[in-house]
Amino acid sequence: MAKNIGAVTIDSERCKGCNLCVVACPLGVLALKGREVNNRGYHFAYMESPDKCIGCQSCALVCPDACIEVYKCPPTAPPKRGALAVEAERPDQGQALQREEPATETSAQPSNVTLMKGNEALAVAAIRYGADGYFGYPITPQSEVLERLEQEMPWETTGMVVVQAESEVAAINMVYAGASCGKAVFTSTSSPGFSLMQEGMSYMAASEVPALVINVMRGGPGLGTIHPSQADYFQATKGGGHGDYHAIVLAPSSVQEMADFVGLGWDLAFKYRCVSMILADGVIGQMMEKVVLPPQRPRRTDDEIRRQCPWAVTGRKGMRPKNVVTSLELDDDKMEANNLRFQATYRLIEQNETRCELVDTDDCDWLIVAFGSMARISMKAMELARARGIKVGMVRPITLWPFPAEQIRKAAANAKGILVPELDAGQMIEDVKLAVECRLPVEHFGRLGGNVPTPDEILDALTRGFNIA
Amino acid sequence: MNAIIQPQNRVYSRPSLLNDAHMHYCPGCSHGVVHKLVAEVIEDMGVAENAIGVSPVGCAVFAYNYIDIDWLEAAHGRATAMATAVKRLMPDRLVFTYQGDGDFAAIGTCESIHACNRAENIAIIFINNAIYGMTGGQMAPTTLLGQKTATCPYGRRVDLNGYPLSITPLLAQLDGTCYVTRQSVHTPGAVRKAKAAIRKAFDNSIACRGASVVEIVSTCNSGWKMSPEKANQWMVEHMFEKYPLGDLKSND
């Protein structure tokens, strides 16, 4: 008498009727239903000749939709994974690997007050902030960031990871991944590389992950020049990549601010789950100045990251619900809701985080609005002007986005005109005009192609532009 | 028969990490089988809490909806760059990418080669079905000569389209790879071998032995405009000549 030794169950609602199990079965047990269909309209598989089944699993192995369970009696092999799953509802998967947190003391670190290039200050400040990783690609005039990091060997001290990527495209996506894991990660580049990174920044904005991106600008367009520029202002402040998004844009005008804005940038990025950017120009990156470095902070432990960034991709420790970081949402209503949430965050950032420096704006007849190296040069131009009895004040935006429009409007309340000196053909001037709603004359002065003006050129632009005697 | 269907007699069932969501793949798609194997291997290894996957742009973009581990969704082609960062930042995790031929061998070729060459301790599951499935059946870098797609409707021609790219042997030559293999999932035996290959690649990631590449020569029956079983036959008859199965490199 023939004895049944195998059987299968088929989840007929999951089955798509692809027929691969029917083909795989060596004994012709299975067939597709001829007329009957499941709720999705598929002719599903079933055991047409159940007596022939030997429980060989061939059908289940090839099933793309995992809808077949196989039974065999008596079991000829010890119970496998499937059998175990019956006994324990959900086997407690593995043990989380315990990791000793690395020591946070660094040896041979530079003293707290030191002389260094702006680019180097970025690197050292990042290590001291407790950064988890840097991913970058060399490009002038910011290559000292990676060079200094490699010299410091932070992987030996804080455990920070430093990777020279194969391209800026790879680098920004490494940053995207590290940020998705809740890590404090950053990259640095200069203008052509910054263009390559725009796609990744758009993805990070859409995924709401915190990261720090540094652009030490050089003259463009194209390969352009290796000399300083501010011509990436639009790209940095208006989004740059595709879609509606913003990054917080910090504009340092000293080596000290290069160091300080690393920590500020990360703090803001984690606070708002957004990308922070340091938009420096080649002057600030290359010049050496005294800098007071922040104290060394420990890197956050895995547990701290899990607590502080419950959204982060860290592995399902304790089998918590899975975390997925993605920028994709095909449901239009949900994607609109996502966008509205991004915009709400941006309004909050505008409300809370707009920063600028006011210099002699109380009594000024003329106002200069300048950032970065141009603000430094404008400071000297102001001195020269005041020595000639021309009362000039300055607003130096520290955040280029959010833009200090309100502060500029107030500072310009009694001014007769505004000069906007930039290392570009006139980009920030558009935001200045919007800030004052064109109620007073706003003039641009710019040098292009990597050229940097002297204070006299700025003073000349002011007096000639506004016909000041 | 019914007497046999008892829990104690169960010898094969759906891996619990593969959740109940209906997969969006076409009937007979190789992706489903490979997803199942990935879930099974992670369960067998007991590393669900430590596994991080990177899904691609392509048909497998929604892999994260089906396998219940933590996932990142990469920009097109950048999965190995992302996996690099994840593994460097969290060296004790199992980190793997899951990519199609367009993602891995066209737009992401640079990242694919460099991640392997840097000996990143990641596993790469590379689905080669010689066509762009999600965008509707356009030519892939791996499309065979003469094979018809939406963008080479009269068949791939060398003078117009160049040669099919067999990227896996290139990766086997790199010092950074420790395991490079080519498998398929068209028969029960092939599925078992593919599972063993994925297990080996995942073990390598955990043990930090270097980069592992598991190419799965696959079908896209919708893109190829065939039934699933015809697609399997066509794959055996045509794909295996250009993409022969077996280990290309195994540093044991």
Side-chain angles (χ1 to χ4, degrees):
Chain A
M1 188 178 83
K3 184 175 184 302
N4 296 339
I5 57 171
V8 299
T9 58
I10 297 169
D11 183 340
S12 56
E13 281 309 314
R14 187 175 290 284
C15 177
K16 292 174 183 163
C18 74
N19 206 44
L20 290 180
C21 58
V22 177
V23 175
C25 177
L27 292 158
V29 175
L30 302 172
L32 296 187
K33 288 282 184 185
R35 300 186 61 171
E36 204 178 335
V37 293
N38 62 18
N39 287 340
R40 290 168 175 251
Y42 290 119
H43 297 281
F44 53 89
Y46 73 109
M47 291 183 81
E48 188 187 42
S49 308
D51 291 350
K52 297 180 186 168
C53 181
I54 55 169
C56 74
Q57 306 176 25
S58 293
C59 54
L61 282 164
V62 299
C63 173
D65 291 281
C67 43
I68 302 177
E69 286 193 338
V70 184
Y71 297 82
K72 191 163 184 169
C73 183
T76 53
K80 290 193 177 171
R81 175 191 41 71
L84 282 175
V86 175
E87 287 148 23
E89 279 180 13
R90 172 150 236 169
D92 204 18
Q93 303 286 346
Q95 297 106 30
L97 300 174
Q98 294 300 314
R99 197 169 84 169
E100 289 293 316
E101 290 309 322
T104 54
E105 292 298 312
T106 60
S107 56
Q109 58 182 234
S111 68
N112 288 333
V113 183
T114 185
L115 181 75
M116 60 170 66
K117 279 190 175 188
N119 288 337
E120 293 177 289
L122 294 169
V124 176
I127 296 171
R128 290 190 170 215
Y129 179 82
D132 294 303
Y134 171 90
F135 308 89
Y137 188 78
I139 180 171
T140 309
Q142 64 76 51
S143 298
E144 293 86 355
V145 180
L146 176 56
E147 289 172 6
R148 183 67 188 248
L149 284 169
E150 296 283 359
Q151 286 163 20
E152 293 285 327
M153 297 200 294
W155 53 91
E156 300 281 347
T157 52
T158 68
M160 176 187 170
V161 167
V162 180
V163 177
Q164 178 170 337
E166 62 270 34
S167 68
E168 286 91 350
V169 175
I172 195 71
N173 282 282
M174 290 173 184
V175 168
Y176 178 23
S180 304
C181 299
K183 300 281 186 179
V185 290
F186 75 121
T187 187
S188 61
T189 187
S190 184
S191 306
F194 189 58
S195 290
L196 286 173
M197 291 184 178
Q198 294 306 314
E199 183 198 35
M201 293 183 59
S202 170
Y203 280 65
M204 284 194 279
S207 304
E208 298 172 284
V209 294
L212 179 65
V213 175
I214 298 164
N215 178 5
V216 182
M217 292 177 281
R218 63 189 245 183
L223 209 45
T225 169
I226 59 171
H227 296 131
S229 169
Q230 296 178 328
D232 302 347
Y233 177 90
F234 282 153
Q235 200 179 20
T237 60
K238 310 299 179 191
H242 56 283
D244 284 317
Y245 75 93
H246 278 292
I248 295 174
V249 184
L250 301 166
S253 72
S254 65
V255 174
Q256 185 63 56
E257 283 189 336
M258 288 286 250
D260 293 346
F261 289 178
V262 168
L264 175 63
W266 261 314
D267 288 346
L268 294 175
F270 276 94
K271 182 175 177 186
Y272 296 101
R273 286 180 62 181
C274 67
V275 176
S276 286
M277 195 188 299
I278 295 178
L279 192 71
D281 53 65
V283 175
I284 309 295
Q286 289 297 322
M287 73 183 184
M288 292 185 87
E289 269 187 328
K290 186 183 88 172
V291 57
V292 182
L293 293 168
Q296 179 68 51
R297 297 193 340 184
R299 288 174 53 232
R300 287 171 307 155
T301 63
D302 273 11
D303 282 341
E304 283 170 334
I305 290 173
R306 284 194 174 94
R307 271 200 309 279
Q308 293 165 13
C309 306
W311 46 266
V313 165
T314 52
R316 297 178 61 195
K317 190 175 182 186
M319 290 311 277
R320 61 149 169 74
K322 69 178 167 185
N323 283 342
V324 175
V325 172
T326 178
S327 62
L328 178 67
E329 178 51 70
L330 293 183
D331 181 312
D332 295 346
D333 289 336
K334 286 182 183 169
M335 195 61 206
E336 184 172 48
N338 285 354
N339 267 285
L340 292 172
R341 188 174 67 250
F342 306 155
Q343 293 302 320
T345 302
Y346 300 149
R347 297 297 88 78
L348 206 59
I349 294 171
E350 285 171 341
Q351 202 178 311
N352 297 338
E353 309 299 346
T354 306
R355 288 167 165 79
C356 67
E357 182 189 10
L358 303 178
V359 186
D360 295 341
T361 52
D362 289 345
D363 65 343
C364 68
D365 292 327
W366 308 96
L367 190 67
I368 288 176
V369 180
F371 70 97
S373 62
M374 286 305 273
R376 294 173 69 106
I377 301 166
S378 296
M379 283 287 285
K380 185 66 185 175
M382 282 173 58
E383 264 182 56
L384 297 174
R386 285 195 174 248
R388 283 172 52 180
I390 307 167
K391 287 184 184 172
V392 179
M394 181 171 70
V395 176
R396 176 173 75 88
I398 290 172
T399 51
L400 297 176
W401 191 89
F403 192 70
E406 179 72 18
Q407 291 88 332
I408 290 171
R409 202 165 50 76
K410 282 183 184 160
N414 299 312
K416 299 173 192 165
I418 302 177
L419 181 72
V420 186
E422 301 176 68
L423 294 177
D424 57 47
Q427 299 194 14
M428 185 171 71
I429 187 174
E430 294 191 2
D431 286 329
V432 176
K433 282 183 174 173
L434 283 171
V436 298
E437 294 167 337
C438 296
R439 284 180 191 144
L440 67 163
V442 182
E443 293 291 331
H444 171 259
F445 170 70
R447 291 299 306 268
L448 309 174
N451 280 314
V452 178
T454 63
D456 286 324
E457 285 180 75
I458 293 175
L459 180 58
D460 188 49
L462 182 76
T463 51
R464 282 201 291 129
F466 295 109
N467 292 316
I468 306 168
Chain B
M1 182 190 83
N2 286 343
I4 298 173
I5 300 177
Q6 301 290 336
Q8 68 270 21
N9 294 337
R10 182 148 57 195
V11 290
Y12 190 97
S13 65
R14 190 180 172 78
S16 61
L17 283 179
L18 201 60
N19 62 33
D20 290 337
H22 278 273
M23 290 196 276
H24 69 281
Y25 300 115
C26 304
C29 177
S30 306
H31 274 303
V33 180
V34 184
H35 279 26
K36 185 174 65 177
L37 295 183
V38 168
E40 283 180 6
V41 169
I42 294 172
E43 277 191 21
D44 290 350
M45 292 171 72
V47 293
E49 295 190 10
N50 271 319
I52 296 175
V54 184
S55 64
V57 169
C59 284
V61 65
F62 287 125
Y64 56 74
N65 281 341
Y66 308 129
I67 302 174
D68 284 342
I69 57 168
D70 275 11
W71 284 92
L72 300 174
E73 161 52 35
H76 199 16
R78 315 297 166 225
T80 53
M82 293 189 83
T84 294
V86 174
K87 184 67 180 177
R88 294 272 189 128
L89 289 162
M90 296 186 283
D92 60 354
R93 307 301 201 277
L94 161 63
V95 180
F96 70 95
T97 69
Y98 187 108
Q99 302 173 260
D101 39 47
D103 195 85
F104 186 71
I107 194 169
T109 312
C110 180
E111 285 79 4
S112 303
I113 287 178
H114 283 283
C116 287
N117 194 52
R118 282 194 306 263
E120 300 295 347
N121 296 307
I122 60 173
I124 296 163
I125 314 277
F126 163 39
I127 307 295
N128 175 9
N129 58 13
I131 205 161
Y132 283 64
M134 176 153 276
T135 46
Q138 296 83 6
M139 185 181 69
T142 51
T143 295
L144 300 176
L145 290 179
Q147 186 181 348
K148 290 177 182 173
T149 73
T151 50
C152 49
Y154 308 107
R156 183 175 189 152
R157 276 167 53 176
V158 171
D159 59 339
L160 294 178
N161 313 114
Y163 294 95
L165 175 59
S166 181
I167 193 172
T168 309
L170 293 177
L171 301 174
Q173 291 177 35
L174 302 177
D175 293 334
T177 50
C178 63
Y179 177 48
V180 180
T181 188
R182 202 185 261 134
Q183 302 291 334
S184 182
V185 291
H186 63 303
T187 64
V191 173
R192 285 194 166 91
K193 283 184 187 167
K195 182 179 175 182
I198 293 170
R199 172 64 190 254
K200 188 166 176 176
F202 283 12
D203 281 339
N204 287 340
S205 172
I206 295 265
C208 295
R209 295 195 186 101
S212 300
V213 183
V214 180
E215 174 178 346
I216 311 278
V217 183
S218 303
T219 62
C220 175
N221 54 75
S222 293
W224 294 0
K225 307 191 192 321
M226 297 174 193
S227 71
E229 64 228 68
K230 283 271 164 46
N232 274 340
Q233 286 167 17
W234 193 89
M235 175 177 72
V236 172
E237 288 163 12
H238 298 88
M239 294 275 282
F240 289 176
E241 184 186 347
K242 177 69 184 172
Y243 307 111
L245 304 189
D247 286 355
L248 288 91
K249 179 181 193 176
S250 183
N251 296 349
D252 288 318

